[in-house]
Amino acid sequence: QVQLEESGGGLVQAGGSLRVSCAASEGTFNFQTVGWFRQSPGREREFVAAISWDAASTIYAASVEGRFTISRDIGKKPATLQMNNLKPEDTAVYYCACRPGWSGRRLAWSDMVSWGKGTLVIVSS
């Protein structure tokens, strides 16, 4: 089982940028789809972005399309989410998670098999 840990969260003003990363504290990301989710008070945990095991395919939630970029190093632990033009509504705890295979669709939390404790991102007005 792959155990994940997120880092890089913090406080940023609206319009700014932040990069969060995901590392495997146990196992590797080989042959695993990696996804980012987020959860804020009053909202359900929602899908943000995902990248295939070979880094050939990505998919994003409509709310972050064009602003966020997911990337990974094949065969290595790090996976990142670059967040640009941040908005106050992006404020949330961001979670990294993984699962085998690639569906080509936006993911549900229930699809994931491993995840981290999350990293907090706060976007001020």
Side-chain angles (χ1 to χ4, degrees), residues 16-17 38 60 62-69 82-87 89-90 94:
S17 298
R38 65 186 182 186
Y60 298 89
S63 59
V64 305
E65 187 88 46
R67 299 189 297 120
F68 290 11
T69 302
Q82 176 67 43
M83 301 179 287
N84 297 326
N85 192 25
L86 284 161
K87 304 175 181 179
E89 51 263 43
D90 294 319
Y94 283 72

Side-chain angles (χ1 to χ4, degrees), residues 48-109:
V48 176
I51 187 167
S52 62
W53 66 270
D54 59 357
S57 301
T58 58
I59 190 167
Y60 298 89
S63 59
V64 305
E65 187 88 46
R67 299 189 297 120
F68 290 11
T69 302
I70 187 171
S71 63
R72 71 186 300 174
D73 293 324
I74 300 175
K76 298 181 179 180
K77 295 181 179 180
T80 64
L81 182 70
Q82 176 67 43
M83 301 179 287
N84 297 326
N85 192 25
L86 284 161
K87 304 175 181 179
E89 51 263 43
D90 294 319
T91 295
V93 175
Y94 283 72
Y95 298 89
C96 179
C98 66
R99 58 157 290 171
W102 175 252
S103 69
R105 299 178 59 191
R106 296 180 175 93
L107 301 173
W109 184 250

Side-chain angles (χ1 to χ4, degrees), residues 28-47:
T28 72
F29 289 122
N30 285 346
F31 303 105
Q32 301 289 312
T33 291
V34 178
W36 285 92
F37 295 76
R38 65 186 182 186
Q39 186 170 31
S40 60
R43 297 181 179 181
E44 296 183 349
R45 189 169 299 179
E46 64 177 343
F47 171 78

